[in-house]
Amino acid sequence: AAPGPTQRRRENQRSEPLAAWLHFSSSPGGDLISGIVAGAAGVHARSIAMPDGWTDEEFEVLRSPWLVFGHFALTCVLFVVWGVCQWLRSGQEVPNSVGFFHPFTSDGGGGERVLWCAVREIQRARPDCQCVIYTGDDASGEELARRAKERFGVELRTVPGVVKLRWRGLVVPERYPVLTMVGQAIGGALLTAEAVTSYRPTVFFDTVGHAFGYPVARLAGCVVACYVHYPTISSDMIARVATRSDMYNNRPAVARSYLLSAAKLAYYRLFAVAYGACGRYAACVAANSSWTAAHLRRLWRVDRVRVVYPPCDVAGLTDFSLSDRSGGGRGA
């Protein structure tokens, strides 16, 4: 019986490598390089020869250039992810340690009080735990401990370690006149990478709200905890853009333009999705108010958000006498 089309195609595929090799090697203009290239191409064609039971249409799909390109792209992505993970885990791993991510430790605000109270409570609950502060300030552990006591009345049991962050400028909002949130998000992720490659703690504790660094800390092998004062983006901000309101986060030129408002609304919604995806990497989440907690539950889609009200120094108020403040003598 005469061979069918499929059988003839298989025989041609088996003979193509040898025929190509002999043609380029024996031709007057052929050289060794051409022969090697032709032979390699023939071997590749033979390696993806039609398997038994496959139709011509199925075989053509297998040889599609888009499939080959997709396979190559996926391989490159996996290789890059593997390299990034290896780099993030190249830092010194310190067991039984907590790293507090607070790039600005000299602002003197309520966020800094939260930092020092958290360090104090960790030292009180786990005296054997090593605490370090990730900061961009030029200050030693002794200076930070003294500042915590003088400014906030928080006395630490032991002097914390300090890891200097040289890339702190990446999270300064003035650095990004446009797309500020995206710039700070990328900067926060890079700053987190600098932190964990310098010192890799057991627990990475973020006290400023740079959620885009949480996946980076998780890839480095850290457990992520956070205290959030204010969400990076909220449903209120999205609503102002949707209603084209002229507010602090929506310039008048954008509010007056339908196209600009639509583009910014899409930008805000995409950013909110990315913000929520990164926030879900935190294993322990605390918020400073019920308002912040409600927004985090909605954006991050997590229920493990606890409200921990910020500490307030009321010791000085106890010195005021209340004996002369009764209302009994007001009618006299």
Side-chain angles (χ1 to χ4, degrees):
T6 302
Q7 184 177 356
R8 287 198 300 269
R9 182 170 183 173
R10 292 197 184 101
E11 292 176 354
N12 292 336
Q13 288 170 346
R14 295 190 185 98
S15 61
E16 282 175 1
L18 182 59
W21 184 280
L22 293 176
H23 170 73
F24 279 95
S25 298
S26 58
S27 60
D31 54 11
L32 181 61
I33 300 299
S34 301
I36 292 176
V37 172
V43 171
H44 174 68
R46 185 176 181 181
S47 66
I48 59 173
M50 181 186 297
D52 293 334
W54 282 50
T55 64
D56 292 347
E57 292 76 11
E58 293 172 336
F59 185 72
E60 289 300 327
V61 171
L62 182 63
R63 298 184 62 181
S64 170
W66 291 106
L67 184 62
V68 176
F69 175 77
H71 180 269
F72 175 76
L74 180 60
T75 302
C76 293
V77 170
L78 294 177
F79 182 77
V80 170
V81 171
W82 176 83
V84 170
C85 291
Q86 294 300 313
W87 174 62
L88 292 175
R89 300 195 177 203
S90 63
Q92 176 188 2
E93 182 180 6
V94 182
N96 194 25
S97 60
V98 179
F100 292 88
F101 188 74
H102 203 96
F104 298 89
T105 53
S106 58
D107 53 4
E112 191 177 348
R113 177 183 291 278
V114 170
L115 166 66
W116 299 125
C117 288
V119 174
R120 181 188 61 190
E121 296 306 313
I122 291 293
Q123 292 180 346
R124 181 179 300 173
R126 297 289 299 272
D128 59 333
C129 182
Q130 182 177 354
C131 296
V132 299
I133 312 297
Y134 297 111
T135 178
D137 296 327
D138 292 322
S140 63
E142 291 78 6
E143 292 173 337
L144 293 179
R146 183 175 64 254
R147 187 184 304 168
K149 184 177 181 180
E150 293 175 353
R151 289 189 179 183
F152 306 103
V154 178
E155 186 171 359
L156 304 180
R157 292 198 168 198
T158 58
V159 175
V162 175
V163 176
K164 177 65 180 298
L165 298 177
R166 296 177 175 82
W167 299 351
R168 186 177 67 174
L170 295 177
V171 297
V172 177
E174 291 77 14
R175 189 184 184 95
Y176 311 101
V178 295
L179 299 178
T180 306
M181 292 192 302
V182 172
Q184 286 188 288
I186 297 175
L190 294 175
L191 195 62
T192 302
E194 181 193 6
V196 295
T197 53
S198 301
Y199 183 97
R200 188 151 57 100
T202 307
V203 178
F204 180 86
F205 199 148
D206 172 41
T207 57
V208 290
H210 286 296
F212 286 85
Y214 301 168
V216 176
R218 286 293 293 123
L219 285 175
C222 305
V223 177
V224 179
C226 63
Y227 186 93
V228 182
H229 300 270
Y230 194 88
T232 303
I233 189 170
S234 65
S235 56
D236 298 339
M237 296 170 60
I238 298 176
R240 294 188 191 103
V241 178
T243 57
R244 300 172 63 182
S245 301
D246 183 5
M247 296 290 289
Y248 67 91
N249 68 310
N250 202 31
R251 298 177 182 178
V254 177
R256 289 192 298 265
S257 172
Y258 174 80
L259 293 178
L260 292 178
S261 295
K264 188 168 185 177
L265 183 61
Y267 159 56
Y268 267 30
R269 287 175 174 171
L270 289 174
F271 186 87
V273 171
Y275 178 63
C278 293
R280 286 191 287 273
Y281 281 89
C284 180
V285 184
N288 71 338
S289 65
S290 57
W291 183 89
T292 301
H295 279 278
L296 293 181
R297 293 189 184 101
R298 187 179 304 112
L299 292 170
W300 293 8
R301 298 179 182 178
V302 295
D303 297 327
R304 56 181 182 274
V305 182
R306 296 185 178 183
V307 178
V308 180
Y309 295 107
C312 299
D313 184 15
V314 297
L317 300 178
T318 59
D319 297 335
F320 289 94
S321 175
L322 300 180
S323 58
D324 298 333
R325 295 175 179 269
S326 61
R330 292 182 179 177

